[in-house]
Amino acid sequence: MNRNLERNLLLALLVAALVGRIAFFLAVRGLDVVTVPLLDSQAYHEWALRLLAGNWDWYQTYWLAPLYPHLLALVYLVAGLHIPVMVALQLVLNLLNVLLVWKLGRRTWPSGDARPLLAAALYAGYGAAVFYASQLLVATVLTTLVLLVALQALRVIARPTVRGLFVLGLLLGLASVGRGNVLLPAALAVLTVLWRGIGRLPRLRSAGILAAGIMLMILPVTARNIIVAKDFTLLTSNAGLNLLIGQQARYRGIFAHVTEDAEADFDPTREHALEQEFGRDLSGGDVSGLLTRRAAALFLKDWKAMPLHYLRKVYRFWNGYELPQIISFGFWRARLPVLWLFPVPFLLFAATGLPGLPSVPRPARDVLLWLIGAYFLSLLPFFPTARYRLPMVPLLAIPAAGLLWSVIRRDPGWPRRLAVAVVLAAALWPGWTAFSAQEVAWQAHLHNAARAAGRAGGVVQVSLPGNLL
């Protein structure tokens, strides 16, 4: 494929992707599911409003990662308190991610190869990524950061420089501030550079530069927790609760409250309950530590059940079902006809991307294995859900395109590759773990009722500057 043809096909793909995202935005911009935030989205929204109201202190340890609410506050400051504006920007970012997938493919295969375009087309048609871009959640921003990390890692491998390593560290640190589980890929990157080195740069110096970039992004958050909340917590204090949720073997690997008490709905951090239990004030770090110890105790108590429990979590993570938590993509896909413009399911990425990884040429294969493997392992102690795995999908698009193209071209060994993909697709078929339609509908209708109440009564009670009302 010559360069002009590739450029024209890429332009056509981006235009088609843009039209689809515009159609989606026009279809959902006035719906409560977009304009009335709920649960984590509401927490981000209210946090952004506190920032705008001048409440920068908020004398508590960060519970959620701070990157997204600060970005949200910046958008509100510039564009006013209009959630659809943030949704539109996230859809633009999702479109940019399509281009970044193509760029990642161009760094994987030779110039003129059709596989980068195929990878970008696959990701452009992935409906869950488009749908979650309509929510006030960090998934879209984090996906962009993960793609930028992958591209920068390949640049550094191709041309090791001090500046390149430092930029890679900054990107890893920023992604960690977006979601704390990225700390595991970041730590593995530093250890790998320290162990194997990179190019002709001294190993210790290279690892130090990479670590310095990471810490430059993380330390302001840590310093803020120490100075404002008097609590030495690196990023956030939600790890303990999520670990406790992740060890609940009786729930077979899905999210569930750690208590039957209805108070869980009003005390999501469990801080107030633990303070009443111990009769003293607790910092966020204290709460996380206590819940981490309880998670460890539960793991040891039910150790015989844990191997099967963790296997279930692994399977749920890679299964083609878009596991709901907070919001159900499957529920809304059945009710928003515009989402049928994006027909590519996660099953395709899992069933072709995983077996396609070994055939990806190095060094791209090493980078993909590092990011996909470490990201997956970082979430394994917790619980799987559709929105958590979103940042891995564009990475899986690269080996998925490689495997599918080998089948299309009937390269040597294509029947074996196709057979593996078909068997894996059957094993990961969404129906094996899907919730019942009634169960999903009940939860979705409950959330819709909460949104209706929020729309009627106002979703926040925060004083704002007059120009934002």
Side-chain angles (χ1 to χ4, degrees):
M1 182 188 305
N2 64 55
R3 184 169 297 182
N4 288 334
L5 177 59
E6 183 182 21
R7 185 182 299 114
N8 291 336
L9 288 174
L10 175 64
L11 180 60
L13 171 62
L14 292 175
V15 169
L18 175 61
V19 170
R21 282 150 180 78
I22 291 174
F24 173 75
F25 176 75
L26 294 176
V28 304
R29 61 178 176 171
L31 300 181
D32 282 357
V33 70
V34 171
T35 60
V36 183
L38 194 67
L39 301 172
D40 283 15
S41 296
Q42 183 178 357
Y44 286 135
H45 177 71
E46 294 180 353
W47 187 346
L49 296 184
R50 280 195 295 270
L51 293 173
L52 289 177
N55 185 3
W56 287 82
D57 289 341
W58 186 24
Y59 295 102
Q60 296 175 356
T61 309
Y62 282 147
W63 164 248
L64 296 172
L67 175 64
Y68 186 77
H70 284 78
L71 289 176
L72 186 59
L74 179 61
V75 172
Y76 286 167
L77 179 65
V78 174
L81 186 53
H82 303 295
I83 290 175
V85 173
M86 186 63 180
V87 171
L89 290 174
Q90 290 184 164
L91 286 168
V92 171
L93 204 56
N94 176 260
L95 182 65
L96 173 64
N97 292 342
V98 175
L99 180 62
L100 292 177
V101 170
W102 174 77
K103 285 183 173 292
L104 187 58
R106 283 292 302 271
R107 285 195 166 269
T108 302
W109 291 294
S111 178
D113 198 295
R115 284 170 286 192
L117 276 173
L118 179 57
L122 290 174
Y123 184 68
Y126 180 48
V130 177
F131 175 73
Y132 280 101
S134 71
Q135 305 297 301
L136 297 185
L137 295 169
V138 73
T140 303
V141 175
L142 187 62
T143 300
T144 304
L145 289 172
V146 168
L147 281 166
L148 291 174
V149 165
L151 285 166
Q152 184 62 21
L154 287 175
R155 291 190 192 100
V156 169
I157 293 172
R159 187 183 176 187
T161 63
V162 169
R163 179 180 178 182
L165 275 169
F166 187 67
V167 171
L168 178 59
L170 292 176
L171 288 170
L172 283 166
L174 190 60
S176 299
V177 176
R179 184 177 288 156
N181 67 293
V182 182
L183 284 171
L184 180 59
L188 286 178
V190 174
L191 292 174
T192 300
V193 171
L194 183 61
W195 174 44
R196 298 178 56 183
I198 183 164
R200 296 183 177 180
L201 296 176
R203 287 186 297 174
L204 185 60
R205 182 186 178 201
S206 300
I209 292 167
L210 182 60
I214 295 169
M215 295 309 298
L216 186 62
M217 288 295 178
I218 292 174
L219 283 179
V221 179
T222 308
R224 181 264 169 206
N225 286 334
I226 294 172
I227 296 170
V228 174
K230 313 299 183 192
D231 185 15
F232 183 75
T233 297
L234 190 63
L235 286 174
T236 62
S237 61
N238 61 10
L241 179 60
N242 287 324
L243 280 170
L244 186 58
I245 293 171
Q247 313 317 308
Q248 306 287 323
R250 58 182 173 146
Y251 292 110
R252 304 170 68 88
I254 62 174
F255 170 86
H257 290 300
V258 296
T259 175
E260 304 284 341
D261 193 345
E263 183 190 3
D265 294 332
F266 308 100
D267 183 21
T269 69
R270 305 303 296 153
E271 180 177 341
H272 298 307
L274 288 172
E275 286 180 339
Q276 290 181 356
E277 178 181 341
F278 286 90
R280 59 185 177 88
D281 290 337
L282 298 172
S283 68
D286 293 334
V287 171
S288 185
L290 284 167
L291 294 178
T292 297
R293 289 190 287 275
R294 291 185 179 182
L298 182 60
F299 182 95
L300 293 174
K301 178 183 176 182
D302 293 343
W303 67 270
K304 292 182 179 179
M306 286 301 155
L308 180 58
H309 177 53
Y310 271 74
L311 284 175
R312 285 194 181 110
K313 290 201 286 184
V314 171
Y315 183 75
R316 288 188 183 277
F317 192 94
W318 293 107
N319 180 260
Y321 182 53
E322 298 288 358
L323 188 63
Q325 192 260 331
I326 293 183
I327 193 165
S328 171
F329 168 69
F331 176 87
W332 287 104
R333 189 171 189 267
R335 287 156 179 80
L336 293 173
V338 69
L339 282 173
W340 290 97
L341 293 173
F342 312 99
V344 181
F346 180 80
L347 179 66
L348 180 65
F349 295 103
T352 60
L354 292 175
L357 277 167
S359 61
V360 174
R362 300 181 68 182
R365 181 177 65 209
D366 295 338
V367 170
L368 292 177
L369 286 172
W370 157 54
L371 284 174
I372 293 172
Y375 188 91
F376 161 65
L377 289 175
S378 71
L379 292 172
L380 187 58
F382 305 106
F383 54 89
T385 180
R387 62 193 177 98
Y388 284 172
R389 68 188 183 189
L390 284 178
M392 290 197 315
V393 175
L395 303 180
L396 288 168
I398 301 299
L403 187 146
L404 291 172
W405 189 245
S406 72
V407 172
I408 292 170
R409 294 186 57 184
R410 300 198 171 189
D411 291 338
W414 73 268
R416 176 179 54 82
R417 296 189 185 97
L418 179 60
V420 170
V422 170
V423 169
L424 196 55
L428 298 176
W429 190 255
W432 302 136
T433 61
F435 294 163
S436 69
Q438 295 83 356
E439 185 178 5
V440 174
W442 175 83
Q443 188 77 352
H445 290 316
L446 189 66
H447 287 170
N448 285 341
R451 290 189 184 94
R455 174 168 44 83
V459 295
V460 290
Q461 302 294 329
V462 179
S463 299
L464 291 177
N467 63 329
L468 290 171
L469 294 175

